Amino acid sequence: MDAIATIQPKAMRDTLLLSLYEAMLRDNDIFLVTADFGSPVMDKIRADVPQQVVNVGIAEQNLINVSAGLALEGFKVFAYAIAPFITMRCYEQIRVNLALLSEVRPMNVNLIGVGAGYSYVVSGPTHQCYEDLTVMRAFPNMRIYSPADQVAAAELPGRCLSSDGPKYLRLDAQVLPVLYSEEPPIFANGFHEHRNGGAVCLLATGYMVHTALKVADRLMASGISVGVIDLFDICGFSEDLLQSVLSSYRGIVTMEEGFRGRGGMDAMMFDYIVRRGLDLRMLNIGVEGGYRFELGERHVLHEHVGIGVERVTEKVRGLMKSLSA
Amino acid sequence: MMNMLQFEAGVLEKLNAKAHWVWRETLKIHRQSQETRVASSLSAVEIFVTLYYGGFLRFDPANPLWELRDRCIISKGHGSLCMYPILADLGYFSVTELEKVCKEGSFLGGIPDPVIPGYETINGSLGHGAGVGAGMALGLKRKGRNQSVYVVTGDGELHEGSNWEAFMFAGQHRLDNLTVLVDNNHISMLGPTDEIISHRSLIRKFDAFGWFAIEVADGHSVAAIAKALQDCRREASGKPSAIIVNTRKGNGVPGLQDAPLSHVAAIKPDLIDQLIGER
């Protein structure tokens, strides 16, 4: 914990872009394309390696197409924009020029989407993003990384540069507590087990890992132990290893900052459990009640839509009761 | 660079003969595969013949992804059936493949994909070529390479807004290694383009976007297309080029040529036999 305490909290995008910046200084074939979206680290990149950067303006369709063209010319491309816009504004461009074309041409294009879930709290539903896991996992060859903290986010450029294909990097826009020490999670596994024990395991991604840890703390205060897993490689985690970890549990709770029952992480885990024949009761935590326009702090909004600490704790208790019945 | 006098003296006849051969072969493919979009392919014959046989593109059929090739993106995927005989003739694949278009096991579909040797990108879904081409052109420039990128679009395709994002981008970044040829056959799927969303003056639009733009009055004249391509090379320094090639949809086929619904029309096999016999 001491090592974690010494890390200054930063936004995921800043640690990720800093890693990318260092890689760009070493490798002229890395290209950063932005849809007029910045950050202080982006300013540094633009100043120091201008030949490897281009701003396409507020034009996400062209962001994807230009990125595809650069990738076809051998560049390793990072495209950078706000999460709902880089996924849904240009969905067909991603399908045709990244997902389809990368099946027949070597291409390395990595979409960095900032603003997962409710992280743009006061900007309302246009800038919030509760559908991206659903729509991006529909592509059979899309790798999705959903880190829960800045340390994991900083690891992503290295991961992305080491393998071709289309990838979506789903970043929170807020500065979140640090979960990992200088020793980052093992990406080859695709998940990290933060807590273990008890009958139920909370399987969360992104911001919801922090909620899961708070829920676990609350339950522990009343003597109930639960497991907590951070799933950050949504489509590429080690299925065998996860099965081994889950074998000690009787129930699993999926936790995502996206619409419940709409094909996101809940559907993915349902498929996994059925396909593997696991004997697990499953509870899905996700946004309920459709689009909302209320303003408020993120944790308050989360309670409104059923994914806040209070509501989740209550639901997990319910699951435990049904398991012991 | 092509010598114009030499071109006029000898190559023009060869190009015209080749265009006629491609026109016939395109009809023959359509005869056996009636579901193909033949009308928009017939409007583009001379554009592709000029690019591929006129000395404007550097390419190597034995090595389709040769690094020193010029890139040619065929954004109007439906309307490039005429590319199949061209690519076969150039040696990208066997001419016997032309008998299998749209048949089980063939790689030559109704809409071409990059599994076909000679095709750079995915086609069919419209409005993608210009942006991908702009990205390739930017990449080539940033690497200090002198290859060029050509993109062939249709006029109906230009209703897709993604094109205009790409045109703004290419003008801003002065991508003078990028040339867009618009097969301006004036007809979209459900009728004349002007009656759907008129482009008014494409020349003025491209000019306003920072492009060097010229028009070819007769898009079935290989000499006129070749001259336009030469003019672009000579005069478009510091700007991307657009060539508005005025063509006829269904060119040379009575009943199909310029018909408002020609895009989805098929030509009866008897008429194809008659046309091939006549010309």
Side-chain angles (χ1 to χ4, degrees), chain A residues 61 64-65 89-98 100-101 139, chain B residues 37 73-80 110-114 119 121-133 151-154 156-163 263:
Chain A
Q61 295 181 89
I64 302 301
N65 285 352
R89 179 67 178 229
C90 46
Y91 195 64
E92 216 255 348
Q93 279 73 26
I94 297 171
R95 176 175 184 264
V96 171
N97 292 317
L98 300 186
L100 270 166
L101 192 52
F139 299 119
Chain B
R37 299 284 188 245
I73 294 178
I74 300 161
S75 196
K76 51 165 284 175
H78 314 62
S80 69
I111 295 173
D113 286 317
Y119 274 88
T121 58
I122 297 271
N123 315 284
S125 175
L126 298 174
H128 292 283
V132 176
V151 178
V152 180
T153 76
E157 179 179 1
L158 295 187
H159 288 153
E160 291 282 6
S162 51
N163 288 301
H263 187 79

Side-chain angles (χ1 to χ4, degrees), chain A residues 29 31 50-56 58-70 72-75 89 92-93 96-97 100-101 104-105, chain B residues 65 69 71 114-116 119-122 125-128 130-140 142-143 145 160-162 165-166 169 173:
Chain A
D29 285 340
F31 215 109
Q51 284 300 302
Q52 292 165 247
V53 181
V54 74
N55 182 356
V56 300
I58 306 165
E60 286 79 10
Q61 295 181 89
N62 206 39
L63 173 76
I64 302 301
N65 285 352
V66 165
S67 296
L70 288 165
L72 289 170
E73 292 304 330
F75 286 100
R89 179 67 178 229
E92 216 255 348
Q93 279 73 26
V96 171
N97 292 317
L100 270 166
L101 192 52
V104 283
R105 296 275 186 272
Chain B
L65 295 177
R69 77 194 182 284
R71 283 65 166 154
V115 294
I116 302 172
Y119 274 88
E120 292 278 352
T121 58
I122 297 271
S125 175
L126 298 174
H128 292 283
V132 176
M136 294 169 101
L138 178 71
L140 289 166
R142 292 281 169 100
K143 288 194 166 186
R145 307 277 297 279
E160 291 282 6
S162 51
E165 291 184 9
F169 177 86
H173 291 279

Side-chain angles (χ1 to χ4, degrees), chain A residues 7-236:
Chain A
I7 300 176
Q8 184 192 355
K10 292 178 182 169
M12 289 181 188
R13 72 178 185 187
D14 289 328
T15 59
L16 184 148
L17 287 176
L18 200 56
S19 291
L20 184 59
Y21 169 71
E22 288 162 2
M24 291 173 82
L25 291 176
R26 295 190 300 269
D27 185 350
N28 296 335
D29 285 340
I30 301 173
F31 215 109
L32 177 57
V33 190
T34 174
D36 202 36
F37 186 54
S39 85
V41 183
M42 172 68 86
D43 293 342
K44 187 174 177 59
I45 295 172
R46 289 197 295 167
D48 292 356
V49 281
Q51 284 300 302
Q52 292 165 247
V53 181
V54 74
N55 182 356
V56 300
I58 306 165
E60 286 79 10
Q61 295 181 89
N62 206 39
L63 173 76
I64 302 301
N65 285 352
V66 165
S67 296
L70 288 165
L72 289 170
E73 292 304 330
F75 286 100
K76 289 158 274 189
V77 184
F78 289 79
Y80 180 65
I82 294 175
F85 309 147
I86 202 171
T87 53
M88 290 174 271
R89 179 67 178 229
C90 46
Y91 195 64
E92 216 255 348
Q93 279 73 26
I94 297 171
R95 176 175 184 264
V96 171
N97 292 317
L98 300 186
L100 270 166
L101 192 52
S102 66
E103 291 291 310
V104 283
R105 296 275 186 272
M107 300 173 75
N108 190 339
V109 179
N110 308 285
L111 309 178
I112 306 170
V114 178
Y118 283 85
S119 54
Y120 282 122
V121 182
V122 300
S123 300
T126 59
H127 283 59
Q128 294 161 359
C129 193
Y130 346 88
E131 309 92 339
D132 57 338
L133 287 178
T134 300
V135 299
M136 296 305 276
R137 67 178 286 270
F139 299 119
N141 55 356
M142 181 69 65
R143 200 80 180 254
I144 301 173
Y145 292 115
S146 173
D149 87 340
Q150 65 195 58
V151 178
E155 289 298 301
L156 291 176
R159 293 288 304 172
C160 293
L161 290 167
S162 66
S163 64
D164 279 349
K167 306 170 208 84
Y168 171 49
L169 286 50
R170 177 183 196 259
L171 305 187
D172 206 277
Q174 294 185 329
V175 177
L176 301 180
V178 179
L179 293 179
Y180 296 97
S181 67
E182 295 288 2
E183 195 64 39
I186 300 169
F187 266 88
N189 296 341
F191 67 91
H192 181 87
E193 189 180 23
H194 284 279
R195 307 269 177 91
N196 59 45
V200 169
C201 182
L202 313 181
L203 186 82
T205 194
Y207 180 95
M208 294 304 287
V209 176
H210 300 269
T211 303
L213 289 168
K214 288 175 185 166
V215 170
D217 286 343
R218 287 205 172 195
L219 292 168
M220 184 58 79
S222 49
I224 302 169
S225 179
V226 292
V228 175
I229 290 175
D230 170 8
L231 184 66
F232 44 78
D233 187 348
I234 298 292
C235 302

